[in-house]
Amino acid sequence: MWFASPADVRERLSAVDYLSDDSIATSVFLAGALGKPLLAEGPAGVGKTQLAKAVAAATGARLVRLQCYEGLDEARALYEWNYKKQLLRIQAGQGENWDATHDDIFTEEFLLERPLLAAIRSETPVVLLIDETDKADVEVEGLLLEILSDYQVTIPELGTITAVRRPYVVLTSNATRELSEALKRRCLYLHLEYPAPERERDIVLAQVPGIEAGLAEQLARAVATMRSLELKKAPSIAETIDWANTLIALGRTELDEAAIGSTLGVVLKHASDQTRARKELGL
């Protein structure tokens, strides 16, 4: 058991400065209790990746991260052979028959673990983060299906490797493309949105030591207003925290017009977004 109850999830995540709500706490608890992967989907910057990191920190597990991208293949996700080392072994064994050399170079010594295989073979607790799954090619989902169904991997030269201990799996998606139904069927689903201003205020208070409650409240309200605009890129929670740290570094105790005007680039990274925000906020 990773967690004793949803209440235990909230308490332990809070201890590592991740403030969860009932939906998050229940999903995190069930993913551990049922041994099923948790698919966290939502806009960029709502804390999906941070959730996996917080679960690892709260449970003392090792975090293994597979960052997905277009062109990701089995060699980068699962395993590959150390070809240079194999070549040196072949050259050193000149004169041996091929069968002996073949059996010698396809062993553990020449195997390079990638994140998926490392998580499957770990004998200690692991949180496997498969980050931005929607950025990977559809073919990668086929690879994930075997792993997430049976928690095992087949390597032709070594046979089938089955997990000694099931990892806690978190997949994240920004919903830039629809994931297959087969993959979703194997997961618990958690949709994350930007937090309400009250919760974001509490997040800022937890993440930024020394900030005054009034300033945290002003920041949360200002960011919520910006997110209501039609922006190219809405501010993430991490950018809200960066904004709070920026104001602390500048010695600001209030989010007035001058403070917003001089630090807007911390939260809005497009000129058109800054122009719209200045107009809407009356700067």
Side-chain angles (χ1 to χ4, degrees):
M1 294 290 290
W2 290 83
F3 297 97
S5 65
D8 182 43
V9 172
R10 297 194 69 159
E11 181 179 344
R12 292 167 67 182
L13 291 186
S14 178
V16 294
D17 295 332
Y18 189 96
L19 304 184
S20 62
D21 56 22
D22 290 339
S23 176
I24 294 174
T26 301
S27 297
V28 168
F29 166 71
L30 290 175
L34 302 178
K36 294 181 71 69
L38 177 62
L39 171 59
E41 191 172 65
V46 295
K48 303 183 296 295
T49 301
Q50 191 59 37
L51 175 59
K53 293 180 178 179
V55 170
T59 58
R62 179 166 63 101
L63 180 70
V64 175
R65 180 175 182 173
L66 172 62
Q67 180 64 50
C68 296
Y69 53 88
E70 187 177 351
L72 177 70
D73 59 11
E74 184 173 307
R76 293 297 177 186
L78 188 55
Y79 76 94
E80 63 180 329
W81 294 104
N82 190 331
Y83 300 116
K84 291 182 179 179
K85 194 172 181 179
Q86 286 176 322
L87 182 58
L88 290 173
R89 171 63 186 86
I90 292 171
Q91 291 173 341
Q94 286 182 352
E96 295 180 356
N97 65 67
W98 169 244
D99 289 338
T101 303
H102 177 277
D103 293 341
D104 195 25
I105 63 174
F106 288 104
T107 60
E108 291 279 353
E109 180 184 354
F110 300 93
L111 184 67
L112 296 177
E113 283 186 345
R114 299 308 182 199
L116 295 180
L117 182 59
I120 288 293
R121 301 213 305 175
S122 177
E123 296 182 359
T124 59
V126 162
V127 172
L128 172 60
L129 168 60
I130 304 174
D131 211 10
E132 298 186 303
T133 311
D134 53 322
K135 287 188 176 181
D137 299 325
V138 176
E139 290 76 15
V140 174
E141 292 188 29
L143 174 64
L144 294 177
L145 290 179
E146 178 187 6
I147 295 174
L148 300 183
S149 296
D150 304 319
Y151 290 91
Q152 66 180 27
V153 170
T154 300
I155 300 177
E157 298 84 357
L158 298 179
T160 299
I161 298 174
T162 303
V164 177
R165 174 193 293 267
R166 281 195 175 195
Y168 189 110
V169 183
V170 178
L171 301 92
T172 73
S173 169
N174 296 335
T176 56
R177 74 169 176 85
E178 191 72 23
L179 299 178
S180 71
E181 291 301 323
L183 181 61
K184 285 187 173 182
R185 194 164 56 244
R186 286 160 173 78
C187 303
L188 299 179
Y189 181 80
L190 172 65
H191 183 76
L192 293 178
E193 276 293 348
Y194 292 111
E198 295 77 16
R199 181 162 167 258
E200 189 153 20
R201 174 202 62 204
D202 293 341
I203 292 172
V204 171
L205 289 171
Q207 294 282 341
V208 184
I211 191 170
E212 296 181 1
L215 180 56
E217 176 81 25
Q218 290 177 328
L219 280 167
R221 297 291 177 188
V223 170
T225 300
M226 292 178 190
R227 288 177 184 148
S228 68
L229 307 176
E230 294 182 6
L231 303 178
K232 285 186 177 180
K233 171 63 175 67
S236 68
I237 298 174
E239 286 167 330
T240 304
I241 294 170
D242 287 342
W243 202 11
N245 283 316
T246 298
L247 295 174
I248 294 294
L250 293 173
R252 300 277 189 173
T253 58
E254 186 178 354
L255 191 65
D256 54 20
E257 183 174 335
I260 295 176
S262 61
T263 61
L264 199 56
V266 177
V267 284
L268 298 179
K269 311 298 172 62
H270 294 276
S272 59
D273 288 349
Q274 291 190 18
T275 300
R276 175 162 293 179
R278 290 177 188 277
K279 179 180 179 181
E280 293 296 329
L281 295 174
L283 302 182

